[in-house]
Amino acid sequence: MLSSGAQTRGLIDFDQKSLLISALSIAFNPILWNTIARQEYHNKILTRLFNGNSRLGCYALAVTIFSLGIFRDMLYERALRHQPSSTLLLQPIFTYFAYALIAAGNILVLSSMWALGVTGTYLGDYFGILMNDVVTSFPFNLTAAPMYYGSTLSFLGTAILYGKPAGVMLTVEVLAVYLLALRFEDPFTAKIYAKREQERRKGRKVR
């Protein structure tokens, strides 16, 4: 049950430290994995750490990203519990909508992981572990970034399920952070694969 103090602060209680902590964790994760991945690409920091085994380095990054994602989700749910609820969002129709969003989000995330595999999902291309071909099957025939959009849907669905406007606000941050990450990731990934194609063409010319 909400305290009387929380009820008088409007739809979002900005005085709750848990809200700030959740917002920081949402921003932190993509910054961390992009920083590590670029360091790996340029300096092979994880490959060197694992005695030249790039695959083990990628697995270590995968475990790190996955673990931080779970921790971020825990902080998000903790923040929501400390926030005021909206009676509108607690209506049954929004509850059904929330479950639909969560289901759709999980389908996008899990199906993209299935299509890409561990190394494809967790930045294996930065380790030199490249996909043979561009994946165009579901869910990549719907969007080029199903994991990011699926995660966003899950955040939104959870916010509505809890009836928390603060969760909707944090979901906007999630989407903004992911869109910003894509502005850095997509061109860099395209550069990696373009470089491979150039090397392949050079190899055919030599033969």
Side-chain angles (χ1 to χ4, degrees):
M1 179 178 289
L2 293 171
S3 66
S4 59
Q7 291 175 342
T8 60
R9 294 180 187 276
L11 295 177
I12 301 175
D13 184 357
F14 290 99
D15 291 336
Q16 291 291 339
K17 291 183 180 179
S18 57
L19 182 66
L20 175 60
I21 292 172
S22 177
L24 290 175
S25 71
I26 288 169
F28 174 77
N29 285 8
I31 293 173
L32 178 68
W33 75 58
N34 273 286
T35 300
I36 294 176
R38 292 211 178 200
Q39 283 298 312
E40 168 62 27
Y41 181 79
H42 292 295
N43 301 313
K44 304 298 179 186
I45 56 170
L46 291 180
T47 296
R48 290 178 181 176
L49 183 63
F50 288 92
N51 296 317
N53 192 322
S54 59
R55 191 166 291 272
L56 279 181
C58 183
Y59 290 157
L61 181 60
V63 171
T64 300
I65 294 173
F66 185 79
S67 300
L68 286 174
I70 293 176
F71 185 58
R72 174 204 60 190
D73 294 346
M74 290 173 56
L75 292 175
Y76 175 67
E77 292 194 22
R78 179 172 178 267
L80 295 189
R81 287 196 297 270
H82 294 160
Q83 288 293 317
S85 298
S86 165
T87 54
L88 175 63
L89 293 180
L90 291 174
Q91 296 299 313
I93 188 171
F94 283 103
T95 300
Y96 300 141
F97 183 53
Y99 280 122
L101 288 174
I102 294 171
N106 284 327
I107 289 172
L108 287 177
V109 170
L110 294 176
S111 60
S112 63
M113 292 180 69
W114 178 264
L116 294 175
V118 174
T119 56
T121 299
Y122 293 103
L123 304 171
D125 34 23
Y126 289 73
F127 292 79
I129 308 170
L130 306 185
M131 304 287 290
N132 291 327
D133 298 295
V134 176
V135 178
T136 57
S137 60
F138 181 84
F140 292 91
N141 58 350
L142 299 179
T143 172
M147 289 199 69
Y148 285 172
Y149 290 117
S151 178
T152 302
L153 290 178
S154 294
F155 270 89
L156 180 59
T158 302
I160 296 174
L161 184 63
Y162 279 66
K164 306 292 186 176
V168 177
M169 181 190 71
L170 289 174
T171 300
V172 173
E173 182 198 0
V174 170
L175 179 60
V177 167
Y178 282 157
L179 291 176
L180 181 61
L182 286 173
R183 290 177 64 90
F184 289 93
E185 292 173 5
D186 283 350
F188 199 83
T189 302
K191 176 183 175 182
I192 292 173
Y193 281 89
K195 181 179 178 181
R196 181 183 69 175
E197 292 306 312
Q198 290 177 356
E199 292 174 350
R200 282 179 172 178
R201 286 196 294 269
K202 288 180 181 178
R204 284 198 292 269
K205 288 179 180 179
V206 171
R207 288 193 295 269

